[in-house]
Amino acid sequence: MKARLPKGFGKPDVNALMRQAQKMQEEMKAKQEELENTEYQASAGGGMVKITMTGKHEITSIKIDPQIVDKDDIEMLEDMVAAAVNEAVRVVDEDSDNAMKELTGNANFPGL
């Protein structure tokens, strides 16, 4: 006597997969909106230059300690501002990447 498997056994439930994908897409959209509205802070020069940036990479604030302003060495100030901006971008991107990995179970989806 042969064992019989239930009808449809071994076939993926396409509707369930589509519901799961739609749910994940909705969660990712909500997380993305949350991240875009989050403010991040970064600094350079031991905190002498501080940047506040949104998750959309928009700078909302730059604070510069007056002690580092030297009219004869503007290049140093420019370098510190650039370093602080780059650090803020890195922090935003890292938080976004971690949040998306958490939602997708660390799966690698192209374009995310």
Side-chain angles (χ1 to χ4, degrees):
M1 171 177 211
K2 287 185 176 181
R4 293 190 182 199
L5 297 174
K7 185 177 181 180
F9 182 80
K11 294 181 182 178
D13 182 352
V14 176
N15 290 332
L17 288 172
M18 292 301 288
R19 285 190 301 272
Q20 185 178 3
Q22 185 176 11
K23 181 182 177 200
M24 182 183 286
Q25 186 177 22
E26 290 168 1
E27 289 173 352
M28 290 173 69
K29 182 178 178 184
K31 180 55 90 172
Q32 188 63 40
E33 288 175 5
E34 177 187 329
L35 290 168
E36 287 177 354
N37 293 317
T38 300
E39 285 197 337
Y40 299 87
Q41 294 185 344
S43 64
M48 301 294 259
V49 176
K50 297 177 184 175
I51 301 287
T52 303
M53 177 181 284
T54 68
K56 293 182 193 179
H57 295 102
E58 295 172 346
I59 296 173
T60 58
S61 171
I62 298 176
K63 302 286 185 199
I64 300 172
D65 188 318
Q67 295 177 15
I68 65 166
V69 178
D70 180 356
K71 67 179 180 162
D72 296 326
D73 193 8
I74 296 298
E75 188 175 335
M76 179 187 71
L77 179 57
E78 292 169 341
D79 289 345
M80 279 199 245
V81 170
V85 169
N86 290 335
E87 177 63 12
V89 169
R90 187 195 65 73
V91 168
V92 169
D93 290 346
E94 183 178 290
D95 190 45
S96 180
D97 288 347
N98 289 338
M100 290 302 127
K101 284 178 182 176
E102 185 177 306
L103 280 177
T104 62
N106 213 14
N108 187 12
F109 295 108
L112 295 180

